[in-house]
C-alpha cells in the first residue's frame, strides 16, 4: 500500500494469497488423521481437476490482459508468487503438526 492507496498489485496479492490458502487447506483436509505424505495425492482425479482448474483460473485472472481489466488485477512476478506460496502453505504445515500431535498423544 502506497500512501494509503490500495493498488491493483495489493488486491492481486491478497486475492492470490486467499486462493493459495484455500488450495493448501483443501489438500490438508483430505484426511483428518493421515498426513498429506501418507495419502495418495493422485488417487482422487476430481480433486486434482478442481485444484488445477482453480490454479489455472487464478493465473488467467492475473496474466490475461482483458481479465486484468475486468478484475482489476496486475501481473505478479515469480518472486511474489513464490512468497505467497510459502506464506499460504503455512496452513498445511500447521495442520500437519496438529495431525502429528494428535497421533502421538491421542492414540
Amino acid at each position: 500500500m502506497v500512501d494509503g492507496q490500495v493498488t491493483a498489485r495489493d488486491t492481486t496479492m491478497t486475492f492470490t494469497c486467499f486462493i493459495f490458502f484455500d488450495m493448501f487447506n483443501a489438500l490438508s483436509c483430505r484426511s483428518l488423521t493421515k498426513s498429506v505424505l501418507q495419502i495418495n495425492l493422485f488417487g482422487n482425479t476430481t480433486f486434482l481437476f478442481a485444484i488445477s482448474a482453480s490454479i489455472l483460473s487464478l493465473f488467467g485472472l492475473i496474466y490475461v490482459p482483458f481479465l486484468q481489466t475486468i478484475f482489476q488485477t496486475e501481473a505478479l512476478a515469480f518472486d511474489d508468487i513464490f512468497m505467497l506460496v510459502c506464506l499460504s502453505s503455512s496452513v498445511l504445515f500447521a495442520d500437519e503438526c496438529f495431525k502429528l500431535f494428535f497421533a502421538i498423544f491421542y492414540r
Side-chain angles (χ1 to χ4, degrees), residues 62-104:
I62 294 174
Y63 295 110
V64 175
F66 80 91
L67 291 174
Q68 287 177 335
T69 304
I70 294 170
F71 291 96
Q72 299 177 357
T73 60
E74 119 181 350
L76 298 176
F78 176 78
D79 294 345
D80 293 332
I81 297 291
F82 181 75
M83 180 187 65
L84 289 171
V85 167
C86 291
L87 174 68
S88 58
S89 66
S90 64
V91 71
L92 178 67
F93 294 120
D95 195 55
E96 290 297 309
C97 290
F98 173 76
K99 289 175 186 178
L100 180 63
F101 176 81
F102 187 78
I104 291 172

Side-chain angles (χ1 to χ4, degrees), residues 18-28 47 50-51 54-55:
F18 283 141
I19 297 299
F20 282 146
F21 264 120
D22 283 343
M23 296 304 105
F24 281 114
N25 192 43
L27 181 62
S28 175
F47 177 77
I51 294 292
S54 296
I55 298 297

Side-chain angles (χ1 to χ4, degrees), residues 14-48:
T14 303
F15 176 67
T16 304
C17 190
F18 283 141
I19 297 299
F20 282 146
F21 264 120
D22 283 343
M23 296 304 105
F24 281 114
N25 192 43
L27 181 62
S28 175
C29 289
R30 285 193 61 202
S31 173
L32 185 60
T33 57
K34 291 182 180 179
S35 170
V36 171
L37 302 174
Q38 294 174 327
I39 59 176
N40 182 5
L41 290 178
F42 302 105
N44 188 340
T45 54
T46 305
F47 177 77
L48 290 176

